[in-house]
């Protein structure tokens, strides 16, 4: 457990904090991105426990993930659709209504029994997911789309079977087959659009190295990370990942923890400092005493946090399911009233039954099954061309109401790269000369600060000097010889330790802004300073301005210190910011805003953002970020451009609007079709036949398909 967060302006690995070891908290906001509302999934998920990766000491033996279940179910829908669609072709050819409509005749002895046999296969094989889904929905007293579909196909099938074997009337076989085909296709499209939402845990695991250099009395021995135990000493070379949480016992270095903590600067570490498993050793070789393994490590606690947040999402029904619930009630009520009314009026049972069946089949339009999936499919295609990938259709409904967008700082609003913002001359040496000396000394370093200095010199077209005898001073800077002079590029701490520090108003100002400042020393004399800051993306300003124009507030979350956060917030005109936030606290900050009544979108790119992305009403990941952030998000910005957040929200609003339009087209005709099918105008000679009802169903399907294509952003 880490007790303090330290804030020091130190070059080459400013020690921002010693780690983060707190018990994860449970978050219960968003529903599982999977297809939870459908009965088939309820049946499969019931009793299923997702593998808790934190319980594994290594990487072996993970249980099947939810993603595997969704993939299996998606393939099952696909297979059932293909088989049913193939069988539908002869069903259509043998159907009298289709023959009359197309003007041809194709009959043979026993053709009605062939039609019955083919339709039976489609009903029982293609309709099985809906029949079992109805069973599970009724068990939970939550009738929805599955119940509506199952009710319509069951009534149509058994009525048609009765007609085939002697009951006067007309069969509904072709309507039954095409309804099942379209519903299977709709569910396949729908499930394919959400597949992958549960892969975040697997991506987190990939961060951990698989082997470690164990220090033994007989020398260094490579062992699997799963074999490490508390108290073991491991060697970590420059460029390697820390195998598990521990404490440095020998050596100094800078550690890149940005993928885990969100801290943009490498963190200087010395003996006695804690290190986090999965972070990257940048500079010197170090020896680490292992303190935590398996589920107790920091990374595995984040894994557990993500898992809990995913598994405790609330289950809100989607628009089509809500429509299906009401249509189910309408179908049962209207069908029963129709049957009872005609029997009461003295009509033959066969007539009353046909009216009831017509009403119940018409109540479940083909279009309803495609209304939402078609819009999702078109919207996904449009967004992909704009560099926006939408993975969770529920995000559409939520995103239209977004009131606050919370941005991660590093890699999202900023580029995660250091840029020289000021060169301060503290002696007679000019600014360009200061930059040339500093760039020359830093030219062979891979350190982010060094790269920022070199990049600035290149940008100004400056030729750096030749360097000799250069060496790294871990956590303090670098030194070398240029033109016969001893040159140092060092931290404020180094100056103070060696009595070279002197007060300067310009230096104090940039330090107050939270910028990183390095100093140039020539032959023991302080001659200049360079201020660096994480470069703000040029697109970020425009993105914030457009959000404000839309009446949406913009906040920032960062692990950086308050000075840095304040500077970025003021530069961009943000409505507020949260600084010095550890990963497990990010989701808490999002939750705080939600508890104030806001609908919140979270934009991030790192592992540390994953719990917050899931906690938010809409999680938006920068595509160039880590895989785990992408897998935890509803929307992915491929182009790494914050302005695409606005495009995503606009797309969500347009998509929701188009869904409403499609649902209106898909269900709206019921307002007049159901009364006509029931025979309200029978005394006026107007009676909607099953054939006419089927034609209306087909027409609404065509309208829904065309309307979806008109989605524009």
């Amino acid at each position: 457990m880490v007790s303090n967060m330290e804030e020091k302006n130190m070059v080459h690995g400013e020690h921002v904090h010693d780690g983060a070891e707190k018990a994860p908290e449970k978050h219960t906001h968003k529903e599982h991105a999977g297809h939870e509302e459908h009965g088939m999934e309820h049946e499969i998920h019931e009793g299923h426990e997702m593998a808790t990766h934190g319980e594994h000491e290594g990487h072996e033996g993970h249980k099947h993930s939810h993603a595997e279940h969704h993939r299996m179910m998606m393939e099952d829908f696909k297979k059932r659709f293909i088989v049913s669609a193939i069988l539908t072709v002869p069903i259509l050819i043998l159907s009298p209504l289709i023959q009359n409509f197309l003007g041809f005749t194709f009959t043979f002895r026993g053709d009605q029994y062939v039609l019955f046999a083919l339709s039976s296969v489609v009903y029982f094989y293609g309709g099985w997911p809906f029949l079992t889904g109805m069973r599970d929905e009724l068990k939970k007293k939550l009738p929805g789309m599955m119940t509506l579909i199952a009710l319509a196909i069951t009534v149509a099938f058994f009525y048609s079977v009765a007609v085939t074997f002697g009951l006067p009337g007309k069969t509904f076989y072709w309507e039954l087959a095409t309804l099942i085909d379209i519903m299977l296709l709709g569910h396949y499209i729908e499930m394919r659009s959400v597949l992958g939402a549960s892969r975040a845990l697997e991506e987190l695991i990939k961060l951990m190295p698989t082997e470690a250099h164990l220090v033994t009395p007989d020398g260094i021995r490579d062992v699997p990370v799963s074999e490490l135990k508390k108290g073991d000493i491991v060697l970590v070379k420059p460029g390697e990942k820390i195998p598990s949480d521990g404490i440095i016992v020998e050596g100094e270095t800078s550690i890149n923890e940005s993928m885990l903590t969100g801290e943009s600067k490498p963190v200087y570490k010395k003996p006695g400092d804690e290190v986090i498993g999965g972070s990257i050793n940048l500079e010197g070789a170090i020896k680490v005493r292992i303190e935590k393994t398996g589920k107790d490590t920091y990374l595995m606690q984040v894994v557990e946090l993500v898992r809990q947040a995913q598994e405790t999402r609330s289950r809100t029904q989607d628009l089509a399911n809500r429509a299906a619930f009401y249509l189910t009630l309408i179908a049962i009520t209207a069908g029963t009233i129709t049957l009872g009314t005609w029997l009461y009026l003295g009509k033959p049972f066969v007539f009353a039954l046909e009216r009831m069946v017509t009403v119940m089949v018409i109540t479940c339009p083909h279009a309803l099954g495609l209304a939402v999936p078609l819009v999702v499919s078109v919207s996904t295609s449009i967004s992909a061309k704009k560099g926006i990938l939408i993975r969770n259709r529920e995000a559409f409904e939520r995103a239209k109401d977004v009131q606050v967008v919370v941005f991660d700082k590093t890699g999202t609003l900023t580029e995660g790269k250091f840029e020289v913002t000021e060169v301060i001359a503290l002696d007679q040496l000019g600014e360009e000369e200061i930059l040339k000396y500093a760039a020359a000394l830093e030219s062979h370093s891979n350190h982010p600060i060094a790269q920022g200095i070199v990049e600035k010199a290149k940008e100004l077209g400056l030729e750096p000097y030749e360097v000799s005898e250069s060496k790294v001073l871990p956590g303090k800077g670098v030194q070398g010889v240029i033109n016969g002079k001893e040159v140092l590029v060092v931290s404020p701490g180094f100056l103070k330790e060696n009595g070279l520090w002197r007060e300067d108003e310009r230096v104090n100002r940039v330090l107050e802004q939270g910028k990183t400042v390095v100093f140039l020393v020539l032959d023991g004399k302080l001659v200049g300073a360079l201020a660096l800051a994480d470069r703000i993306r040029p697109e970020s300003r425009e993105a914030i301005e457009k959000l404000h124009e839309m009446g949406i507030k913009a906040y920032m979350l960062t692990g950086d210190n308050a000075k840095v956060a304040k500077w970025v917030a003021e530069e961009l005109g943000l409505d507020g910011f949260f600084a010095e936030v550890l990963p497990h606290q990010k989701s808490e900050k999002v939750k705080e805003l939600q508890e104030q009544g806001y609908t919140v979108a979270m934009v991030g790119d790192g592992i540390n953002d994953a719990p917050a992305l899931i906690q938010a009403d809409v999680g938006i990941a920068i595509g160039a970020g880590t895989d785990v952030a992408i897998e935890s998000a509803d929307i992915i910005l491929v182009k790494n451009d914050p302005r695409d957040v606005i495009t995503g929200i606009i797309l969500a609003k347009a998509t929701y609007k188009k869904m409403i339009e499609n649902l209106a087209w898909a269900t709206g005709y019921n307002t007049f079709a159901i009364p006509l099918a029931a025979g309200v105008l029978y005394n006026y000679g107007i009676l909607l036949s099953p054939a006419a009802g089927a034609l209306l169903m087909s027409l609404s399907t065509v309208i829904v398909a065309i309307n979806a294509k008109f989605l524009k952003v």
Side-chain angles (χ1 to χ4, degrees):
M1 181 77 73
V2 173
S3 57
N4 296 312
M5 173 185 290
E6 298 177 351
E7 298 295 344
K8 301 176 185 176
N9 269 305
M10 292 179 64
V11 66
H12 291 12
E14 181 174 36
H15 192 166
V16 178
H17 56 76
D18 287 333
E21 299 293 343
K22 293 190 179 181
E25 295 185 10
K26 196 170 184 178
H27 300 279
T28 58
H29 183 69
K30 245 171 27 176
E31 76 282 4
H32 192 283
H35 208 64
E36 294 279 346
E37 69 269 25
H38 295 308
M40 182 178 178
E41 278 88 333
H42 288 310
E43 180 180 25
I44 291 177
H45 284 305
E46 202 165 332
H48 167 68
E49 285 186 13
M50 192 173 186
T52 304
H53 296 286
E55 294 172 358
H56 297 286
E57 294 296 302
H59 305 296
E60 70 275 8
H62 296 158
K63 298 177 186 176
H64 287 297
S65 67
H66 282 198
E68 283 303 312
H69 284 292
H70 289 300
R71 187 176 293 105
M72 289 164 56
M73 286 184 284
M74 183 185 75
E75 290 303 317
D76 184 66
F77 273 114
K78 181 181 178 181
K79 183 170 66 174
R80 291 177 190 273
F81 166 71
I82 292 172
V83 172
S84 299
I86 292 171
L87 294 177
T88 298
V89 175
I91 290 173
L92 291 172
I93 293 173
L94 292 172
S95 295
L97 178 65
I98 299 298
Q99 293 181 20
N100 292 336
F101 182 75
L102 297 178
F104 74 93
T105 302
F106 179 69
T107 59
F108 54 86
R109 177 176 292 187
D111 57 355
Q112 70 270 29
Y113 299 113
V114 173
L115 193 57
F116 157 69
L118 292 171
S119 300
S120 297
V121 175
V122 173
Y123 172 73
F124 286 107
Y125 180 71
W128 187 251
F130 309 114
L131 297 174
T132 56
M134 176 179 70
R135 178 197 67 196
D136 293 328
E137 285 183 348
L138 293 179
K139 272 184 184 177
K140 294 174 172 53
K141 299 179 181 179
L142 289 171
M145 179 68 81
M146 291 295 189
T147 301
L148 181 58
I149 297 169
L151 183 66
I153 64 176
T154 299
V155 169
F157 176 71
F158 285 105
Y159 176 77
S160 299
V161 170
V163 171
T164 299
F165 289 94
L167 184 74
K170 296 177 182 178
T171 62
F172 286 85
Y173 286 131
W174 80 269
E175 292 96 329
L176 160 76
T178 54
L179 178 57
I180 288 174
D181 291 345
I182 287 177
M183 293 305 170
L184 286 171
L185 177 62
H187 280 72
Y188 170 74
I189 292 171
E190 180 180 51
M191 294 184 71
R192 190 174 65 172
S193 72
V194 302
L195 183 66
S198 299
R199 291 201 300 264
L201 303 184
E202 285 82 355
E203 297 299 335
L204 273 169
I205 295 298
K206 290 178 184 177
L207 276 178
M208 293 299 292
T210 57
E211 284 193 336
H213 309 305
L214 180 64
V215 178
T216 71
D218 300 324
I220 306 295
R221 182 164 57 92
D222 288 347
V223 299
V225 170
S226 58
E227 293 183 8
L228 293 178
K229 54 186 182 295
K230 185 175 180 180
D232 283 346
I233 304 294
V234 295
L235 173 69
V236 186
K237 301 173 185 177
E240 293 184 339
K241 290 180 179 178
I242 310 293
S244 195
D245 292 7
I247 294 176
I248 295 177
V249 294
E250 184 180 314
E252 298 178 47
T253 189
S254 292
I255 303 287
N256 182 356
E257 297 179 344
S258 61
M259 304 297 278
L260 297 166
T261 66
E263 169 57 56
S264 57
K265 301 171 189 174
V267 183
Y268 168 62
K269 300 283 187 177
K270 61 186 184 302
D273 287 338
E274 295 185 355
V275 290
I276 302 172
S279 57
I280 302 170
N281 179 19
L282 292 177
E283 294 175 343
I286 55 173
K287 288 184 180 179
V288 176
R289 183 177 68 247
I290 300 300
E291 293 293 321
K292 295 179 180 178
T293 60
K295 66 181 181 180
D296 296 325
T297 63
Y298 177 81
L299 181 60
M300 290 307 167
Q301 288 185 17
V302 176
V303 168
E304 178 66 8
L305 189 62
V306 172
R307 186 190 66 80
Q308 289 176 350
Q310 281 185 328
E311 291 190 350
T312 55
R313 289 172 167 179
S314 61
R315 293 174 46 242
T316 57
Q317 290 181 306
D318 59 46
L319 292 172
N321 221 39
R322 287 200 293 274
F325 171 75
Y326 292 114
L327 282 174
T328 301
L329 298 180
I330 291 170
I332 295 171
T333 304
T336 304
I337 291 174
T338 299
L339 178 68
T341 301
W342 285 118
L343 289 175
Y344 177 77
L345 294 174
K347 286 292 181 180
F349 176 75
V350 170
F351 176 86
L353 182 63
E354 183 181 87
R355 289 301 92 210
M356 183 192 78
V357 171
T358 303
V359 166
M360 296 185 75
V361 172
I362 281 175
T363 307
C364 182
H366 293 52
L368 184 59
L370 288 178
V372 171
L374 272 179
V375 174
V376 171
S377 181
V378 173
S379 179
T380 300
S381 176
I382 291 172
S383 63
K385 293 174 184 176
K386 296 180 177 292
I388 301 170
L389 304 181
I390 295 178
R391 302 179 63 253
N392 179 4
R393 73 159 187 268
E394 291 292 337
F396 301 159
E397 186 174 352
R398 291 190 295 270
K400 70 181 176 64
D401 299 319
V402 165
Q403 298 163 296
V404 174
V405 177
V406 180
F407 291 92
D408 172 53
K409 182 184 82 69
T410 306
T412 304
L413 290 176
T414 66
E415 295 182 3
K417 297 178 182 177
F418 281 95
E419 176 186 44
V420 175
T421 59
E422 285 102 353
V423 179
I424 302 170
L426 298 173
D427 198 63
Q428 296 180 358
L429 202 64
E431 292 182 7
E432 287 193 356
E433 282 295 299
I434 292 171
L435 194 53
K436 282 174 70 175
Y437 273 106
L441 205 53
E442 300 281 21
S443 60
H444 299 296
S445 173
N446 290 324
H447 197 286
I449 291 175
Q451 291 175 341
I453 293 171
V454 173
E455 189 63 35
K456 187 67 173 181
K458 286 181 181 176
E459 185 184 309
L460 298 177
L462 302 178
E463 278 291 329
Y465 294 118
E466 289 292 325
V467 185
S468 60
E469 302 177 28
S470 66
K471 68 175 182 178
V472 174
L473 307 174
K476 298 175 182 177
V478 63
Q479 96 179 81
V481 176
I482 299 176
N483 298 333
K485 297 178 180 178
E486 184 186 50
V487 183
L488 296 172
V489 176
V490 290
S491 67
F494 180 90
L495 295 184
K496 291 173 182 176
E497 287 174 14
N498 292 275
L500 296 173
W501 175 265
R502 70 167 185 260
E503 291 295 327
D504 184 275
E505 187 180 328
R506 295 165 298 171
V507 172
N508 289 337
R509 176 177 55 81
V510 291
L511 286 172
E512 278 299 313
Q513 291 175 341
K515 294 181 180 180
T516 297
V517 182
V518 297
F519 295 87
L520 180 68
V521 178
L522 292 183
D523 285 337
K525 185 178 182 182
L526 180 60
V527 296
L530 298 94
L532 298 96
D534 191 359
R535 183 184 302 167
I536 294 175
R537 293 184 187 280
E539 306 88 1
S540 296
R541 288 182 176 83
E542 187 179 342
I544 302 304
E545 288 173 5
K546 287 186 176 179
L547 283 174
H548 287 159
E549 288 172 10
M550 295 168 67
I552 298 173
K553 294 182 178 181
Y555 282 72
M556 180 178 69
L557 269 175
T558 179
D560 279 351
N561 63 62
K563 292 178 181 178
V564 173
K566 185 172 183 290
W567 174 72
V568 174
E570 289 175 350
E571 285 287 307
L572 293 175
L574 297 174
D575 296 284
F577 64 89
F578 302 100
E580 302 176 10
V581 181
L582 297 176
H584 68 277
Q585 296 171 329
K586 286 195 172 186
S587 57
E588 294 170 9
K589 297 300 181 184
V590 170
K591 197 172 183 179
E592 283 178 20
L593 290 169
Q594 289 170 331
E595 288 171 350
Q596 293 174 33
Y598 291 118
T599 301
V600 181
M602 171 71 194
V603 186
D605 75 325
I607 288 165
N608 55 304
D609 301 319
L613 287 171
I614 293 174
Q615 175 65 40
D617 297 279
V618 183
I620 304 175
I622 292 290
T626 62
D627 288 340
V628 68
I630 291 172
E631 296 298 340
S632 302
D634 303 306
I635 299 173
I636 300 164
L637 308 182
V638 177
K639 293 185 292 188
N640 233 358
D641 188 340
R643 293 175 298 185
D644 285 340
V645 173
I646 289 90
T647 306
I649 292 173
I650 293 172
L651 176 65
K653 290 177 182 289
T655 300
Y656 179 79
K657 181 182 177 184
K658 193 61 66 176
M659 283 181 181
I660 295 295
E661 291 174 2
N662 263 8
L663 288 173
W665 281 112
T667 60
Y669 85 101
N670 283 315
T671 56
F672 66 87
I674 290 175
L676 290 179
V680 170
L681 299 180
Y682 179 74
N683 291 334
Y684 297 93
I686 300 173
L687 188 65
L688 190 66
S689 68
L695 185 62
L696 279 173
M697 286 167 60
S698 300
L699 183 61
S700 69
T701 303
V702 172
I703 291 173
V704 162
I706 292 173
N707 188 48
K709 291 292 184 183
F710 279 105
L711 176 63
K712 303 289 181 186
V713 176

